[in-house]
Amino acid sequence: MKTVFDIRDLTKVYGTGEVEVQALRGIDATLNEGELAVLLGPSGSGKSTLLNILGGLDVATAGSVRFKDRELTAFTDRQLTLFRREHVGFVFQFYNLIPSLTARENVALATEIAPNPMDPADALAMVGLGDRMTHFPAQLSGGEQQRVAIARAVAKRPEIMLCDEPTGALDSKTGALVLEALVQTNQELGTTTAVITHNVAIGGIANRVIHFADGLITRVDTNETRLTPGDIEW
Amino acid sequence: MSVLDRKLIRDLIRMWAQSLAIALVMACGVATLILSVGAFRSLDETRTAYYERYRFGDVFATAVRAPMSLANTIAAIDGVAAVEPRLQQQVLVDVENMREPASGLMISLPMERDVAVNALFLEEGRLPEPGRSNEAVVNAKFAEGHKLGLGSSFHALINGARTRLDIVGIVRSPQYIYALGPGEMMPDARRYGVIWMPEPTLAALFDLDGAFNAVSLRMLRDGNETEIIRALDDALEPYGGTGAYARKDQMSHAFLDGELTQLDGMARIMPPIFLLVSAFLINMILSRLISLEREQIGLMKALGYGRLAVAWHYLKLVLVITALGVAIGAALGTWAGRGLTIQYSEFFSFPFLIFQSSPDLYLLAAGISVAAAILGALRSILEAFALPAAVAMRPPAPAVYRALFGDLLGRVRLFSQLTVMGLRHLTRHPVRSAMTAFGIAVSVALPGVGMGTLDSIEDMIDTVYFQADRQDATITFMAERGIDAVEDVQNLPGIIRAEAFLSVPARLRNGHRSRQIGIVGKPAKTDLSRVLDVNLEPVLLPETGLSIGDRMAMILDVQVGDVVRVEMLTGERRVVDAPVTQVVRHYLGLNVFMEINALAQMTGTGTRMSGAYIDVDATEIDELYRTIKSTPVLGSVTLQSVALQLFRETMRENIAIMLGVYIGLAVVIAFGVVYNSARIQLSERSRELATLRVLGFRRGEVSRVLFVETGTIVLVAQPIGWVIGTGFGVLITSSLATDLFRIPFVVNADTYAISSLVVIAAAVVSALIVRRRVNRLDLIQVLKTRE
């Protein structure tokens, strides 16, 4: 199995001097091509910091992250922007849709600048929103909005999907639909997917579960048998 | 200090740039109010005091030759307080080192009594003494214009004799605050002097012993002006009276009044614009601030702060900004007002200046500003007042967008999603977008009005000097002469062409409306001094009837075909009913033209002429000047090119200052509006914009979303600004139109191009400043928080 991200001795310190916060204390990890990894841990454990660095939103204080054969930690701001544009799909807890664009246009926003995108309509159909394309975010439910966000992320055919608490603002039934969409794109498109959550139950759908505490990786579990999103409950 | 006040101070520090922008716009309103009303009051007060102390006349009249004893009859007219009979005469003046001839008005000074009306302010030296026949005093402007001091002398052509005059004193007169030579548009200190000499000397020189030919009156407080004018006309009629007129028609007073009216107009038009714009800006930032602080407001209320305390907290923010604006504006207005008053007093001739300090004005300015600010803030403050604690703690409902025009934007696919975002946001807040556009439009309009005034003056100059009065100069005789005299003029050196004209004083009546005027007769096919119709096309003068200027037609309320009663004020003093045969357009003075022979016939004097319009060969001009200076029959010479040059210089100087002010104000408004609007957009949309950055859009692309909206508003505002500018221009020029002159409002395309460029440049600069903030967006923070 090929390695997509190779993380070595990664450290992140916020602030300087008196109010220094160690968000990551020198972690080592890998993410493999096509796998679905769940990053599990309480808030403040460092999982979001890692995700932000992997997504090129934040820069490390020390250590290295290699994306395939390139040193991500050495990228300039401009290179990071290009990296996000071409390789990464994001899904956030609060969806972050553009309220002034319809569902289809929100997806088109990403496909317009991607080198090899899907048709926005196909992406929306994949997440089961083929009939809601002309709706504005305010006319969609929370679960629907999050599925639009997933469609937006997958429509550019990214190599990596980074999802930060994608079900955090949803009830369990709606959450299951959203996870379904994530698992489906992971399986159909082979997209390497990292999902952050503090919800232990969600770990069941992953290939591997990486446990975080206090800026360190405490344990990595590999699931021999994966659950479907319909099977889990919280 | 209470904790809320500390929050207030920190809020202000955080929003310092926006607050300052608002304060500056407000300061412009306060400054223009204090500036114009302050200058108006100072000048008005100065004028009143000057008139009062130096006994400026209420009624004026001239005659050919009235016996001195008539003065007693006039003094006996009911309501007359004082009478000043005097001798006055236009003369040609020759000052050393001046090529062209100048004109002068010689006025007698009584020797055995004090001057009863129009007393002189003696600035330097002394008054002439009886018996010393060459001693004279001159008005200060003329002395300054020629650097003539006490003891220097110049020559005047008096009754055919070149006479040396020695200056023994320099004076100012309330009657010549604005000393305008015959036929001139602007006072020309070098080419027009007022000269006072002892009465006996002038009586001898003008052959007017025991007689007078001009009179000024002061009325009692309860005097009836109309009655006095009528009685004075009756008294002077046998002695060649040419019709008495009231102070409001006195040239110097009328011009000064026009300027004061202009200042007053500025005080009425400008401040409301600025205060309106600042009210809007306050509305904009405060409504945003309060929607951002919903949770804080809820918290304050949950902690037990009352509704009033919360409302008062935000009101204080507005009041602090207002106080800053008022303070800056008051300082600026006071300083500029002083400067303006001094500038005016230098242009006019005042012996002293009374600066009116007006505490009430500052109170008024502060009051109006506070009212405007509260008006702008009211809605937001009420919202903060009414917000229930529980609701305030919950986020507001998500923004609802709708597809407009059947989702035209979405279906046409003409624009990228980024552009669509910008445009949808724009249409989501139609009122705010419209207000922003209005603010920017105002800033486009301001320099448009300023430069438009320049365009208009150039247009007026073109019409007056190059379409209508195309002669190089106008020669006026001391007294009317036979029509053959045009040959004499033709024979002067360097004359290419000469055309006779006749000017006859008359009173025109239509029912109860009447006006005194000089009817000007010209040859039917006059080519030098042409008559233009209302479309500014040259027309022939018909053989009968009056060609009446549009302003005069308006005053008399007549149109073509109506009959006007003409009371001749000279010769046999005939009263004739004459038809209006055409309405013509002229921008200077009040005009009634007739064919010269028809006019002479109507007057009953046989064909005569008052002077001639001439075209001169430029190479022989010096020779002509020399000859004119020694030709006794000439009363005055008006030189078009000199008049025009002076007019342009004066106007340019005044307008350059005004233009600088207008452009400065435009930049302040444009900057304030665009900066605030972009900052608010940024605060509303920082989450969206950060999302775009996360999705891989570059900084430039993300800024474009903001610029599409701001840019669209700025562009839409341009034509609106042109329309508002033209509207203002028409309003201002028509409010400035007087019987003395009218300016048509004309604006060239490049004027609006320049004002648009100025405003767009200001907008671009402020947008670039906001762009720096887009570049600093914190991607992670913004994604963590829920809107």
Side-chain angles (χ1 to χ4, degrees):
Chain A
M1 220 183 320
K2 278 195 202 162
T3 302
V4 178
F5 280 118
D6 188 12
I7 302 154
R8 292 288 155 237
D9 198 21
L10 192 67
T11 304
K12 177 69 186 179
V13 182
Y14 287 112
T16 49
E18 292 173 28
V19 281
E20 222 165 66
V21 178
Q22 285 258 350
L24 291 175
R25 301 167 185 269
I27 60 163
D28 297 304
T30 53
L31 275 182
N32 299 320
E33 194 171 83
E35 81 168 327
L36 194 158
V38 164
L39 280 56
L40 199 62
S43 71
S45 60
K47 55 192 195 306
S48 285
T49 305
L50 176 63
L51 198 79
N52 288 338
I53 294 173
L54 295 183
L57 295 178
D58 206 348
V59 289
T61 311
S64 107
V65 175
R66 292 188 73 80
F67 169 69
K68 294 182 169 174
D69 52 353
R70 296 161 74 195
E71 185 62 50
L72 194 64
T73 35
F75 276 19
T76 62
D77 185 72
R78 184 168 270 279
Q79 285 171 315
L80 285 175
T81 301
L82 210 61
F83 168 69
R84 292 199 298 269
R85 177 186 285 225
E86 290 174 359
H87 305 290
V88 188
F90 283 99
V91 178
F92 308 100
Q93 180 176 5
F94 297 118
Y95 335 129
N96 287 66
L97 296 181
I98 307 296
S100 58
L101 297 179
T102 61
R104 183 201 188 97
E105 288 164 346
N106 262 288
V107 177
L109 191 62
T111 59
E112 268 180 6
I113 55 167
N116 177 31
M118 293 185 201
D119 186 322
D122 295 343
L124 283 166
M126 255 183 84
V127 298
L129 289 175
D131 55 344
R132 311 285 270 168
M133 288 199 292
T134 57
H135 288 62
F136 284 94
Q139 299 164 315
L140 297 170
S141 72
E144 287 172 327
Q145 289 188 52
Q146 191 61 299
R147 281 188 282 156
V148 173
I150 293 171
R152 182 174 68 186
V154 302
K156 62 161 119 171
R157 303 185 205 276
E159 286 160 82
I160 319 136
M161 285 269 279
L162 301 174
C163 313
D164 194 348
E165 298 275 10
T167 57
L170 302 171
D171 62 71
S172 81
K173 198 169 155 223
T174 321
L177 279 175
V178 166
L179 290 178
E180 196 79 63
L182 279 177
V183 170
Q184 189 191 346
T185 56
N186 170 252
Q187 283 167 357
E188 287 179 13
L189 303 173
T191 316
T192 309
T193 306
V195 177
I196 282 186
T197 182
H198 59 265
N199 185 339
V200 183
I202 292 175
I205 65 165
N207 297 108
R208 288 192 301 154
V209 181
I210 304 172
H211 294 265
F212 278 76
D214 205 15
L216 290 169
I217 293 175
T218 50
R219 194 171 91 229
V220 180
D221 298 333
T222 306
N223 288 330
E224 298 306 329
T225 51
R226 291 167 63 186
L227 301 173
T228 63
D231 297 335
I232 57 171
E233 254 182 65
W234 67 84
Chain B
M1 186 186 290
S2 80
V3 181
L4 278 190
D5 285 343
R6 258 182 234 169
K7 169 179 177 301
L8 179 77
I9 290 169
R10 291 195 188 130
D11 283 345
L12 278 169
I13 292 171
R14 186 166 49 81
M15 300 189 299
W16 72 271
Q18 282 163 284
S19 309
L20 187 66
I22 295 171
L24 283 180
V25 173
M26 196 169 261
C28 289
V30 171
T32 42
L33 183 71
I34 289 175
L35 160 85
S36 44
V37 178
F40 175 84
R41 285 187 182 173
S42 294
L43 287 172
D44 194 44
E45 185 71 14
T46 301
R47 180 176 72 164
T48 306
Y50 189 21
Y51 281 180
E52 201 51 47
R53 286 184 217 168
Y54 290 87
R55 304 188 287 279
F56 181 49
D58 294 309
V59 174
F60 306 82
T62 56
V64 175
R65 184 194 183 102
M68 212 36 112
S69 58
L70 191 69
N72 294 329
T73 316
I74 294 170
I77 293 172
D78 204 20
V80 171
V83 179
E84 182 64 45
R86 62 192 193 183
L87 284 53
Q88 66 179 41
Q89 184 72 52
Q90 293 284 349
V91 295
L92 280 178
V93 167
D94 183 12
V95 186
E96 217 172 330
N97 296 330
M98 184 173 170
R99 279 166 69 214
E100 64 268 34
S103 301
L105 180 67
M106 304 218 63
I107 299 176
S108 67
L109 270 179
M111 287 291 108
E112 269 116 46
R113 58 181 176 85
D114 281 338
V115 180
V117 184
N118 303 328
L120 297 182
F121 169 83
L122 186 63
E123 190 154 287
E124 251 187 279
R126 58 172 174 81
L127 294 178
E129 283 173 6
R132 302 202 185 165
S133 59
N134 288 341
E135 285 188 357
V137 294
V138 296
N139 65 321
K141 285 270 170 187
F142 182 69
E144 280 162 28
H146 288 287
K147 300 197 168 49
L148 291 172
L150 297 181
S152 47
S153 43
F154 62 99
H155 290 85
L157 212 60
I158 302 174
N159 231 1
R162 190 176 142 87
T163 311
R164 198 190 80 235
L165 301 177
D166 302 325
I167 298 175
V168 296
I170 290 168
V171 297
R172 292 181 196 268
S173 160
Q175 203 181 350
Y176 299 100
I177 295 174
Y178 191 91
L180 199 67
E184 305 279 1
M185 283 167 80
M186 277 277 147
D188 185 343
R190 281 167 49 76
R191 294 207 54 254
Y192 188 67
V194 188
I195 305 149
W196 285 265
M197 289 183 78
E199 193 179 284
T201 313
L202 285 191
L205 286 170
F206 295 130
D207 207 10
L208 282 169
D209 246 335
F212 66 91
N213 66 0
V215 64
S216 312
L217 308 180
R218 273 176 76 78
M219 299 189 316
L220 291 171
R221 200 176 293 270
D222 57 355
N224 180 328
E225 194 180 86
T226 322
E227 289 301 320
I228 291 173
I229 288 178
R230 187 168 299 158
L232 184 58
D233 277 346
D234 288 346
L236 288 173
E237 195 195 311
Y239 308 103
T242 49
Y245 54 92
R247 183 186 277 187
K248 72 172 170 44
D249 294 320
Q250 200 265 343
M251 193 66 94
S252 162
H253 176 84
F255 265 98
L256 187 51
D257 220 41
E259 290 291 337
L260 289 178
T261 311
Q262 195 174 341
L263 272 179
D264 195 39
M266 187 162 128
R268 279 166 213 279
I269 296 175
M270 302 297 281
I273 296 175
F274 289 108
L275 293 176
L276 207 67
V277 172
S278 51
F280 154 65
L281 288 177
I282 284 178
N283 176 290
M284 209 157 79
I285 73 155
L286 202 65
S287 63
R288 184 58 200 157
L289 183 70
I290 284 174
S291 74
L292 281 178
E293 294 195 348
R294 285 168 67 90
E295 289 174 30
Q296 298 183 31
I297 294 168
L299 185 70
M300 283 185 235
K301 290 186 175 172
L303 289 176
Y305 284 96
R307 297 169 157 219
L308 277 176
V310 171
W312 173 232
H313 170 66
Y314 289 101
L315 184 61
K316 261 198 276 190
L317 179 85
V318 173
L319 292 180
V320 170
I321 295 175
T322 309
L324 183 67
V326 171
I328 297 174
L332 202 69
T334 307
W335 171 75
R338 227 159 223 278
L340 186 70
T341 310
I342 291 170
Q343 203 198 346
Y344 266 111
S345 72
E346 279 167 5
F347 183 65
F348 294 106
S349 175
F350 285 115
F352 50 80
L353 210 47
I354 301 171
F355 281 108
Q356 272 289 85
S357 71
S358 316
D360 64 310
L361 188 55
Y362 293 89
L363 277 178
L364 180 76
I368 296 177
S369 304
V370 168
I374 290 179
L375 181 77
L378 195 62
R379 212 183 56 151
S380 307
I381 287 177
L382 284 181
E383 199 183 313
F385 179 82
L387 216 55
V391 170
M393 301 288 270
R394 284 200 298 272
V400 176
Y401 285 84
R402 274 172 300 131
L404 290 171
F405 311 115
D407 194 26
L408 196 65
L409 279 177
R411 279 188 292 133
V412 171
R413 299 277 162 86
L414 194 62
F415 303 111
S416 73
Q417 302 308 331
L418 296 186
T419 311
V420 171
M421 278 174 72
L423 295 179
R424 287 232 177 94
H425 194 261
L426 178 95
T427 51
R428 195 180 119 72
H429 301 281
V431 174
R432 193 169 78 185
S433 302
M435 294 286 278
T436 309
F438 173 75
I440 296 165
V442 167
S443 66
V444 175
L446 283 175
V449 171
M451 287 185 286
T453 312
L454 210 60
D455 294 344
S456 304
I457 287 169
E458 279 304 320
D459 186 76
M460 176 173 110
I461 287 175
D462 179 67
T463 307
V464 171
Y465 287 102
F466 297 99
Q467 304 300 323
D469 298 326
R470 309 192 297 170
Q471 69 272 23
D472 292 333
T474 305
I475 292 176
T476 309
F477 300 144
M478 297 270 279
E480 281 175 17
R481 302 182 63 200
I483 195 77
D484 298 342
V486 75
E487 303 289 327
D488 299 342
V489 175
Q490 191 76 58
N491 290 334
L492 290 170
I495 301 287
I496 297 168
R497 263 195 305 183
E499 275 179 10
F501 73 89
L502 173 65
S503 177
V504 176
R507 182 172 285 129
L508 271 61
R509 254 185 221 291
N510 175 35
H512 66 283
R513 295 161 184 261
S514 79
R515 193 49 79 91
Q516 196 172 314
I517 194 177
I519 301 179
V520 176
K522 307 182 190 195
K525 289 182 192 166
T526 175
D527 188 48
L528 283 179
S529 176
R530 301 195 297 189
V531 178
L532 308 179
D533 67 12
V534 287
N535 300 318
L536 303 176
E537 295 294 329
V539 287
L540 296 181
L541 285 169
E543 278 176 28
T544 55
L546 307 169
S547 295
I548 191 161
D550 47 0
R551 177 88 181 177
M552 186 67 180
M554 195 183 80
I555 291 170
L556 293 179
D557 190 24
V558 293
Q559 42 199 346
V560 173
D562 290 351
V563 171
V564 176
R565 172 147 298 181
V566 183
E567 303 168 14
M568 299 292 184
L569 296 172
T570 171
E572 298 168 24
R573 304 182 84 88
R574 290 183 177 178
V575 177
V576 185
D577 284 337
V580 176
T581 41
Q582 62 188 1
V583 173
V584 299
R585 180 152 293 167
H586 203 286
Y587 295 136
L588 301 182
L590 293 177
N591 316 89
V592 177
F593 301 111
M594 283 184 79
E595 200 278 320
I596 187 166
N597 293 313
L599 178 60
Q601 213 171 5
M602 195 160 92
T603 321
T605 52
T607 314
R608 321 236 346 131
M609 62 187 280
S610 310
Y613 305 118
I614 55 173
D615 248 4
V616 184
D617 179 351
T619 59
E620 293 188 59
I621 193 99
D622 285 332
E623 179 61 24
L624 176 68
Y625 286 162
R626 262 196 296 282
T627 314
I628 287 175
K629 284 178 185 176
S630 59
T631 305
V633 295
L634 300 183
S636 69
V637 178
T638 310
L639 304 166
Q640 298 288 81
S641 61
V642 177
L644 179 55
Q645 193 191 349
L646 182 80
F647 182 72
R648 277 205 172 118
E649 275 170 16
T650 313
M651 281 300 179
R652 287 257 160 80
E653 207 171 289
N654 289 345
I655 288 176
I657 296 170
M658 182 181 88
L659 204 57
V661 172
Y662 276 22
I663 289 179
L665 298 181
V667 168
V668 169
I669 294 188
F671 190 86
V673 172
V674 174
Y675 181 76
N676 271 297
S677 129
R679 276 300 300 274
I680 283 166
Q681 270 197 64
L682 182 64
S683 85
E684 282 175 349
R685 310 180 73 181
S686 55
R687 189 179 152 83
E688 267 179 62
L689 300 179
T691 304
L692 292 178
R693 291 277 293 126
V694 169
L695 291 178
F697 284 94
R698 296 196 187 89
R699 288 179 172 142
E701 291 170 322
V702 171
S703 305
R704 204 173 83 203
V705 178
L706 281 189
F707 294 166
V708 162
E709 176 166 353
T710 308
T712 308
I713 293 178
V714 169
L715 288 183
V716 167
Q718 301 306 314
I720 303 175
W722 304 336
V723 172
I724 294 179
T726 308
F728 271 153
V730 170
L731 193 72
I732 290 173
T733 46
S734 63
S735 78
L736 291 184
T738 62
D739 294 351
L740 300 169
F741 69 94
R742 274 89 51 201
I743 303 176
F745 189 73
V746 174
V747 61
N748 299 336
D750 54 352
T751 287
Y752 279 141
I754 293 169
S755 29
S756 288
L757 281 180
V758 168
V759 169
I760 289 172
V764 167
V765 170
S766 52
L768 287 179
I769 294 176
V770 175
R771 192 193 148 144
R772 281 181 29 220
R773 290 180 173 266
V774 174
N775 293 348
R776 292 204 301 260
L777 277 177
D778 184 342
L779 304 189
I780 299 160
Q781 194 57 41
V782 124
L783 296 176
K784 281 286 175 199
T785 51
R786 188 181 179 119
E787 194 164 27

